[in-house]
Amino acid sequence: MVPFTFLFDFQNLTSVSRPYMLEGLAACGIRNLVAGDGLIGMIFKDYSLLYTIKKEMDDAGLKFVDSHAMFGRKLDLNTPDEMDRRISVQRLLITFEFLNYLGVDTITVHVGNIQVPDPQNILVKQNIERIEDSLSKILPAAEKAGITVC
């Protein structure tokens, strides 16, 4: 049976309200949550939250089964600025570690898109090269962590 997951916004909860909310979700029959980009961003700001969230999820009988990477122009795999792209790749590599700890085995990652019409497809070719380069750096780490990149 394929698990059904719920995307839940952790960002507006406090350390006091979060356990009650998780217990409430479980009481409603929810078992699986998405480790969303907002939660991952919160963990980047405070690494201790990784352990707290895991314990709270376990205590409520919930689990993460899938995830969504942080995204945006500076975080997508095709971001034009080389430094931004290197940082984006490093953030994903660290995210894989977070997800591995949380028991997650899939992550949705945005490759990015083109914002400007390009009749000669120069931007398309550059974007593909950037995406291929970024993927060549993240896929070995994802495989090692047992994470499927979507």
Side-chain angles (χ1 to χ4, degrees):
M1 185 159 138
V2 176
F4 190 83
T5 61
F6 292 83
L7 180 59
F8 178 74
D9 186 3
F10 283 81
Q11 296 178 84
N12 296 319
L13 299 176
T14 66
S15 60
V16 173
S17 64
R18 193 174 49 243
Y20 293 107
M21 182 61 75
L22 294 176
E23 289 171 15
L25 292 171
C28 291
I30 294 171
R31 296 290 170 256
N32 305 309
L33 296 180
V34 177
D37 60 302
L39 176 62
I40 292 170
M42 290 168 56
I43 293 169
F44 265 103
K45 290 178 185 172
D46 177 3
Y47 294 122
S48 69
L49 188 58
L50 179 67
Y51 310 107
T52 302
I53 291 286
K54 173 80 165 103
K55 182 179 182 334
E56 291 171 356
M57 291 283 288
D58 289 346
D59 290 349
L62 299 171
K63 64 181 181 174
F64 293 112
V65 295
D66 52 2
S67 63
H68 194 291
M70 294 184 297
F71 62 96
R73 182 151 174 81
K74 291 183 164 282
L75 297 171
D76 293 339
L77 298 181
N78 74 335
T79 189
D81 183 83
E82 188 175 330
M83 177 61 88
D84 288 344
R85 203 165 49 258
R86 285 199 313 260
I87 292 169
S88 177
V89 165
Q90 291 302 312
R91 288 177 77 100
L92 276 170
L93 297 177
I94 294 168
T95 298
F96 296 159
E97 297 295 329
F98 295 163
L99 298 178
N100 189 276
Y101 179 78
L102 293 172
V104 176
D105 61 5
T106 62
I107 184 169
T108 298
V109 178
H110 286 249
V111 296
N113 58 31
I114 299 169
Q115 303 294 327
V116 180
D118 182 20
Q120 296 179 334
N121 288 327
I122 293 170
L123 289 177
V124 171
K125 293 173 189 167
Q126 290 173 340
N127 279 327
I128 290 171
E129 289 171 5
R130 292 175 188 139
I131 292 164
E132 288 174 341
D133 180 61
S134 296
L135 285 172
S136 74
K137 293 175 177 137
I138 66 166
L139 290 178
E143 182 177 28
K144 183 177 177 184
I147 294 173
T148 300
V149 175
C150 306

